[in-house]
Amino acid sequence: MIGAFEGIDGAHSQLVLDAYFRARELPGQTLGTRTFRDAAMAVSSGRAELGIVPIDNTTTGTVQDGYDLLFEFDLVPVAEISWRMEHRLLGVAGAALRDVREILAHPMVLAECGKFITSLTSARAIPCEDTGVAAREVARRGEAQLAAIAPPSAAAKYGLAELSPNIANHPDNLTRFLIFRARHAKPEVFALDSGGPRKTSLFLATKNISGAMVRCLEPLAQGQMSVTKLESRPQPRVTDRAEFHLDVLGDLLAPEQAQTLARLRDNALEVRVLGSYRADAPVAAQTASLPVFSTTVVRDRRPPPPPPPLQNGSSTPRVMRDARPEGTRIRVGNVEISDDTFTIIGGPCSIESREQIVATACAVRDAGGNMLRGGAFKPRTNPYSFQGMGWDAVDLIAEAGRVSGMPTVSEVMSIDQVEGMARSIDVLQIGTRNMQNFDLLRAVGRAGKPVLLKRGMSATIEELLAAAEYILAEGNPNVMLCERGIRTFETATRNTVDLSAVPVLRERTHLPILVDPSHGVGVRRWIRPMCRAAKAVGAHGIIVEVHPNPPEALSDKEQAMTFEDFADVCRDLARIPLFESEPVAAR
Ligand code: PEP
Ligand code: MN
């Protein structure tokens, strides 16, 4: 069984995973990944059966990203482990504390040892990816002025000496980790830690009015469930909604608590249960005498194995509606694409200059748009047509996104662009011509960024879903589909917008569906009515082309809308009510 963690050999998370496997006498192996997000994707894709993420710490509090990752990747907690973090200052053999000028550690670890670090007046803190990397770096450079904060086991692993014993701010520096699995896991993983004393973690949103929280907690009291954690989520602005992370002792998902959960849902604005998990995981907190790792470290396995069979018996099980009946919610910065929202994406076909993209971004935002689009690499039919400004344009749209406060969408055309684009762009677009470029689909599946997948101009709905399955299979659940028009015998419009694909897809898949009427009709004045139709038929959003001066646009000028056109579209859309999905049972 493979467990994924963030870091390299010697990381705290690896130690905890290792101890978890050992306590259960499981033949475990650990898979080091670059980030927690990569660890989540490894589990979501089936390349690892379990993963680990820190969720809170005695000194630094809740790790919001930990919760967010589990929700985003639809991962289910299996067990919690409270681990005493033994932070030692490690240096090369022969070095002394007074020699130390630079201290390398994971940012969380630096925070947990803040008091000690400030007491060393001539040393400065250097954040690095993880504990293992810090220790390895000190060993590699072999300089007396370098030190790492790491557990004693890392000292043994990298041949370092201890310059100072436990240096955490808090004598009982505990980090609570969650071990997690994929929702649709193999039976042997499903069965892990399914009994024992339990805890349930949930996300709760209440109205921002007095008494709202008390009303939410009442059913829990009546269900005899005690609250062990209640923490508000930081929100960028005051709204009429307050959000919390909540842990309760007991299994809120057990049949006997169905009433409690139902009443809690009635009283709250939103309740999302992360899962119920074993709360007394029989793993001793770390002690001073440390084991040598009992697990073997494995390298990434590829390609991902097929998923465990879901009940739907489909050949593309991950995209099917019943894999996530409640529908996928995609968070991109401050925007959510889901059944509860309608997302408007606007921007030029191609990014042409700083002035052009920044002006368009501000106009799109001011009119009510939610996200900025713009092509840097353009798939043009003719090799002599404008091919896009390339990497310069990537920097420009990222800047326009920051200036306007909107997330960005841009097309990635080849595998070698994926990593660089993923660093700067919030949503990676796969164009119609690349819908079946399977290696590219795999690459964006591993990029850790949401993907906007356009329907191939001659692709069936089934082929579109199979293309999305490629991305999900790599561990990336954040895919939005886009109907952008298909080729038919009709030549009056550039393509034929297949609006009937929207209700069909709504029924078949849990993924959100966008409509791109710009490439669909190809003529400015026909875009506005198609936007209205898209919302009315149940799309989750639209993506349209907007340009400060359409006649001068370097690509697709016939279909570029002016800022005024775009504002008209936004006004129209605001008047159309959000589509109400039929209850699942009615399908
Ligand atoms: C685009 O959105 O700029 C684009 C090229 O779209 P499509 O791939 O749908 O033609
Ligand atoms: Mn275009």
Side-chain angles (χ1 to χ4, degrees):
M1 190 170 296
I2 295 182
F5 68 98
E6 180 199 66
I8 63 165
D9 284 4
H12 282 284
S13 312
Q14 185 195 26
L15 269 178
V16 184
L17 250 183
D18 190 74
Y20 176 86
F21 283 136
R22 200 144 17 89
R24 282 156 189 73
E25 297 180 351
L26 287 169
Q29 293 178 299
T30 50
L31 168 67
T33 64
R34 205 170 49 83
T35 59
F36 287 125
R37 173 166 284 269
D38 290 335
M41 287 177 52
V43 175
S44 163
S45 68
R47 293 195 301 278
E49 282 78 20
L50 294 176
I52 184 166
V53 70
I55 213 77
D56 45 48
N57 170 268
T58 329
T59 310
T60 55
T62 289
V63 185
Q64 300 290 344
D65 287 354
Y67 282 105
D68 291 346
L69 275 179
L70 296 183
F71 278 120
E72 179 179 343
F73 288 89
D74 205 13
L75 300 165
V76 179
V78 171
E80 72 169 19
I81 298 171
S82 285
W83 189 260
R84 180 166 295 110
M85 305 289 273
E86 291 267 337
H87 293 322
R88 310 286 169 93
L89 191 71
L90 307 179
V92 294
L97 190 54
R98 64 179 176 283
D99 301 327
V100 175
R101 296 289 174 272
E102 295 186 348
I103 301 177
L104 279 59
H106 189 280
M108 235 177 110
V109 173
L110 289 174
E112 289 163 31
C113 303
K115 283 188 192 159
F116 173 81
I117 295 170
T118 357
S119 75
L120 298 183
T121 44
S122 50
R124 61 195 182 102
I126 317 250
C128 67
E129 294 118 285
D130 95 273
T131 302
V133 171
R136 187 183 62 182
E137 189 61 12
V138 171
R140 190 185 65 81
R141 285 174 52 188
E143 298 163 25
Q145 56 152 357
L146 275 187
I149 306 177
S153 56
K157 174 120 208 140
Y158 294 102
L160 296 174
E162 201 172 296
L163 306 185
S164 194
N166 209 351
I167 59 171
N169 293 358
H170 201 290
D172 243 347
N173 181 38
L174 295 179
T175 292
R176 193 161 65 102
F177 289 89
L178 289 180
I179 306 278
F180 58 84
R181 61 165 166 85
R183 180 171 302 282
H184 305 285
K186 293 185 215 156
E188 64 270 28
V189 182
F190 208 84
L192 276 176
D193 284 312
S194 49
R198 305 196 72 76
K199 210 185 237 187
T200 307
S201 288
L202 32 138
F203 166 86
L204 184 71
T206 65
K207 278 204 176 124
N208 219 347
I209 51 171
S210 96
M213 176 49 82
V214 174
R215 269 193 298 284
C216 283
L217 296 180
E218 233 164 41
L220 292 173
Q222 281 165 5
Q224 312 259 303
M225 307 194 89
S226 67
V227 175
T228 57
K229 169 173 178 167
L230 175 59
E231 192 169 321
S232 65
R233 264 187 83 90
Q235 281 174 283
R237 63 186 79 81
V238 180
T239 63
D240 52 2
R241 173 185 155 102
E243 301 183 341
F244 301 90
H245 290 295
L246 192 71
D247 285 354
V248 294
L249 281 185
D251 185 354
L252 192 55
L253 296 174
E256 58 273 22
Q257 292 294 1
Q259 259 319 93
T260 311
L261 183 56
R263 292 195 49 220
L264 181 61
R265 287 195 198 281
D266 285 346
N267 294 354
L269 281 180
E270 187 183 345
V271 175
R272 274 189 271 158
V273 181
L274 185 63
S276 102
Y277 48 89
R278 180 136 186 181
D280 73 331
V283 171
Q286 184 183 355
T287 56
S289 61
L290 266 150
V292 184
F293 299 111
S294 61
T295 52
T296 14
V297 177
V298 289
R299 302 285 156 233
D300 215 346
R301 290 188 305 188
R302 59 181 74 203
L310 298 176
Q311 296 316 309
N312 59 36
S314 161
S315 56
T316 53
R318 293 174 197 265
V319 298
M320 288 298 157
R321 170 57 75 171
D322 57 359
R324 217 171 186 179
E326 73 284 9
T328 285
R329 286 170 188 274
I330 303 181
R331 273 222 147 261
V332 192
N334 51 359
V335 175
E336 183 181 274
I337 300 114
S338 71
D339 280 352
D340 302 329
T341 57
F342 187 81
T343 303
I344 302 177
I345 308 174
C349 179
S350 307
I351 299 150
E352 298 167 2
S353 68
R354 169 177 284 116
E355 294 68 33
Q356 176 238 23
I357 190 70
V358 171
T360 310
C362 294
V364 164
R365 177 202 57 200
D366 293 346
N370 311 108
M371 247 196 263
L372 177 65
R373 64 149 285 151
F377 301 99
K378 297 303 301 178
R380 303 307 300 279
T381 303
N382 188 304
Y384 309 117
S385 304
F386 176 61
Q387 304 284 311
M389 285 173 62
W391 291 108
D392 288 343
V394 174
D395 293 343
L396 292 179
I397 190 174
E399 182 183 334
R402 285 191 299 277
V403 169
S404 61
M406 284 189 298
T408 54
V409 187
S410 194
E411 177 168 351
V412 50
M413 293 216 309
S414 66
I415 296 177
D416 59 306
Q417 291 163 359
V418 172
E419 207 184 318
M421 293 279 279
R423 248 180 267 134
S424 308
I425 304 293
D426 301 304
V427 175
L428 303 177
Q429 176 176 324
I430 297 291
T432 191
R433 294 157 189 84
N434 273 317
M435 189 203 82
Q436 286 189 319
N437 182 339
F438 301 118
D439 286 346
L440 182 60
L441 297 177
R442 279 199 194 94
V444 294
R446 284 174 171 237
K449 283 286 169 95
V451 175
L452 190 162
L453 176 65
K454 289 201 161 187
R455 178 177 179 182
M457 60 183 91
S458 304
T460 62
I461 289 173
E462 204 170 319
E463 286 163 342
L464 172 62
L465 289 174
E469 184 85 10
Y470 264 90
I471 303 172
L472 267 66
E474 293 294 334
N476 185 351
N478 296 318
V479 176
M480 46 201 116
L481 307 173
C482 179
E483 165 58 43
R484 49 78 70 200
I486 51 174
R487 286 216 158 151
T488 64
F489 54 82
E490 183 54 74
T491 53
T493 46
R494 182 175 174 180
N495 290 283
T496 299
V497 187
D498 179 12
L499 280 181
S500 53
V502 177
V504 173
L505 285 168
R506 265 199 174 254
E507 198 173 289
R508 291 209 191 152
T509 179
H510 52 84
L511 299 173
I513 305 133
L514 305 179
V515 172
D516 170 358
S518 301
H519 294 87
V521 296
V523 175
R524 186 174 312 120
R525 63 184 181 283
W526 298 332
I527 297 171
R528 187 173 164 186
M530 295 310 287
C531 290
R532 293 195 297 261
K535 186 168 182 187
V537 81
H540 296 87
I542 52 153
I543 175 166
V544 288
E545 291 186 344
V546 185
H547 194 281
N549 185 7
E552 299 287 309
L554 295 181
S555 56
D556 284 351
K557 59 176 158 209
E558 284 74 25
Q559 67 194 42
M561 289 193 290
T562 63
F563 295 170
E564 292 73 37
D565 295 333
F566 180 75
D568 288 341
V569 165
C570 291
R571 264 192 298 274
D572 281 1
L573 291 171
R575 281 200 291 267
I576 299 173
L578 198 63
F579 184 86
E580 290 214 18
S581 358
E582 287 106 56
V584 177
R587 288 203 183 95

